[in-house]
Amino acid sequence: MKFEEMGNMTGKTMMLLPGTCCDWQTNFGNVIDSLSSKYHLICVNYDGFDGSDTIFPDMITVTEKIEKYIKDKHNGRLDAAIGSSLGSSFVGQLVMRENVHIDHAIFGSPDLDQSGKLSAKLQAKLVVPILTGITKSQKKRNKTKEKLKNFFLMDDEMAEKFLNCFSKFKAESIRNEYYTDLITYLDDDIQVDNTTAHFIYAKKMGPKYLKRYKKYFHNPDIREFDMQHEQWLFGGTEYRVPVLKAIDEFMEQ
């Protein structure tokens, strides 16, 4: 795993945890300048997604490595952690396990899907070949690029970066990441003293996710935005700017 620290080194600490099949450079590329001007960022690339020959093991093993880094480098405490999609599962585990402390746990419009092992294996069997196969032919690549652009309102450059990111990683790492995320559960009604769970709720994902956020966390701070899943990270400024403003407001609480 790789941890890179940057930004305003006198500002509040904020860990950035990327989503499925992503490194932080791609996942947070559109917002890194804005965040680094204000916050002391700790950017994480997991095993298997860090440019090394390692393979992503499972969610809990990686969570333990993140906890160790926070303990060793930051005395076991962060002002904030932002999880994008699957990265929010790590934020949830860090809060729930209480081996480290996070004042502001920020969940970036996550799915927080959970399932049994058999269902998770079947889902991985269906999804992983899609994730690993979209760049194997120019026809598939072009088709996927257009879907990304239309769904997230990405520009062409961002869609190309996203596809290049997918193509870098080994199928075994993608499979392990996708599968173990589904079988790594969160408790219901998580509540930790002096920790606030903040949710960026992408309304276009549907109300079942809003119910899920309220199920897993006690009295979460939920901000609603008229966008798709993580569109603030991949779409234009009309999505990015309001969410960045909300994050600043979280940090001032």
Side-chain angles (χ1 to χ4, degrees):
M1 284 182 68
K2 290 185 179 179
F3 299 85
E4 298 183 48
E5 304 206 16
M6 64 187 69
N8 181 354
M9 304 306 281
T10 62
K12 292 182 177 180
T13 53
M14 177 183 289
M15 180 171 277
L16 303 184
L17 295 155
T20 307
C21 302
C22 268
D23 51 28
W24 69 259
Q25 291 91 338
T26 303
N27 208 144
F28 294 100
N30 275 349
V31 299
I32 199 74
D33 289 343
S34 296
L35 292 174
S36 63
S37 69
K38 300 172 183 177
Y39 305 112
H40 173 173
L41 300 181
I42 306 158
C43 302
V44 182
N45 280 337
Y46 318 125
D47 287 335
F49 302 92
D50 60 356
S52 72
D53 290 331
T54 59
I55 297 296
F56 185 94
D58 58 80
M59 293 291 289
I60 295 301
T61 299
V62 173
T63 299
E64 290 170 347
K65 291 185 177 185
I66 295 169
E67 289 172 340
K68 185 177 186 305
Y69 185 89
I70 296 170
K71 289 177 182 178
D72 291 348
K73 302 294 185 179
H74 293 277
N75 298 313
R77 181 191 172 279
L78 298 177
D79 294 302
I82 300 179
S84 169
S85 192
L86 171 139
S88 289
S89 296
F90 286 117
V91 175
Q93 289 294 324
L94 292 170
V95 173
M96 182 183 75
R97 289 159 58 92
E98 295 190 67
N99 293 322
V100 296
H101 182 82
I102 300 170
D103 289 346
H104 299 283
I106 303 173
F107 297 78
S109 60
D111 297 327
L112 294 182
D113 289 328
Q114 297 179 356
S115 69
K117 290 184 178 180
L118 178 58
S119 175
K121 285 181 180 178
L122 291 174
Q123 289 182 61
K125 191 174 182 178
L126 290 171
V127 172
V128 171
I130 296 173
L131 294 176
T132 57
I134 57 177
T135 60
K136 289 183 178 179
S137 75
Q138 193 60 45
K139 184 177 179 180
K140 286 183 179 180
R141 184 185 185 92
N142 292 340
K143 188 175 181 180
T144 303
K145 182 192 285 190
E146 289 307 309
K147 286 183 178 179
L148 290 172
K149 289 166 66 176
N150 292 333
F151 186 80
F152 291 110
L153 300 183
M154 289 180 177
D155 61 24
D156 194 76
E157 182 182 3
M158 187 65 208
E160 191 67 27
K161 286 180 180 178
F162 203 77
L163 288 173
N164 288 340
C165 187
F166 272 6
S167 67
K168 291 190 296 186
F169 307 122
K170 296 178 181 178
E172 187 177 355
S173 285
I174 295 171
R175 186 181 303 109
N176 290 352
E177 185 181 51
Y178 187 88
Y179 169 72
T180 64
D181 179 44
L182 289 173
I183 64 170
T184 304
Y185 278 51
L186 289 171
D187 294 337
D188 291 351
D189 201 38
I190 297 169
Q191 184 176 13
V192 174
D193 289 344
N194 301 313
T195 294
T196 303
H198 307 275
F199 281 87
I200 298 164
Y201 169 47
K203 185 179 179 181
K204 290 181 179 179
M205 290 175 65
K208 74 175 183 179
Y209 295 101
L210 182 61
K211 293 179 182 178
R212 194 174 291 178
Y213 304 158
K214 294 177 179 178
K215 175 179 184 286
Y216 293 138
F217 289 88
H218 182 83
N219 193 29
D221 175 17
I222 297 174
R223 304 291 180 94
E224 181 178 304
F225 298 89
D226 187 25
M227 64 182 184
Q228 299 283 4
H229 173 71
E230 298 295 24
Q231 199 164 11
W232 71 285
L233 291 171
F234 307 128
T237 56
E238 67 269 34
Y239 304 105
R240 181 161 64 250
V241 171
V243 174
L244 287 169
K245 180 181 178 182
I247 290 170
D248 288 341
E249 291 171 357
F250 298 158
M251 298 297 289
E252 291 170 359
Q253 294 179 12

